Amino acid sequence: MTHGEVYPAHQLMDGPVKLSVLDWTTAAIGDPARDFMFHHASVSASAFENTSARSVDAGGRIWPRFADHCAELCSTPPVELGLYALQAGAPGHMSAARIQLNPQK
């Protein structure tokens, strides 16, 4: 189970240890790295490593080159938006996805 958008706007902190995560509308069965990709993109490497290690200590699983995987996931939102646009039949979203996928035009 993944949340899919774990970033500061979806987090409530109660001191340095307790974290609550809001807005589970993007939850899915899928790639657990999705819950780390924004963290990887926005914090130091040591903070990312500490967070990953704490996740493993709590029963989570990561794999070799996990950080690289998280970095690569940051490039997928335009494709995901295009897929959503196709499923929803939303021309405005399709136009936005096209612009993001080919910003030179």
Side-chain angles (χ1 to χ4, degrees):
M1 184 74 175
T2 66
H3 178 279
E5 292 183 338
V6 178
Y7 60 94
H10 289 169
Q11 300 171 5
L12 292 176
M13 298 296 294
D14 184 10
V17 177
K18 188 175 179 186
L19 167 71
S20 297
V21 181
L22 306 172
D23 187 4
W24 285 83
T25 58
T26 56
I29 303 297
D31 188 345
R34 292 213 170 275
D35 289 340
F36 288 84
M37 67 185 226
F38 293 114
H39 186 68
H40 178 269
S42 63
V43 302
S44 68
S46 62
F48 177 78
E49 290 169 13
N50 288 337
T51 303
S52 300
R54 289 185 69 185
S55 176
V56 170
D57 291 344
R61 296 186 327 171
I62 62 171
W63 48 89
R65 300 190 62 199
F66 183 69
D68 293 336
H69 183 87
C70 292
E72 290 296 325
L73 283 175
C74 289
S75 68
T76 65
V79 173
E80 293 169 11
L81 178 59
L83 291 171
Y84 169 77
L86 288 171
Q87 292 171 347
H93 289 306
M94 183 57 75
S95 176
R98 282 189 183 110
I99 291 167
Q100 292 176 35
L101 287 166
N102 192 5
Q104 290 80 21
K105 288 189 175 184

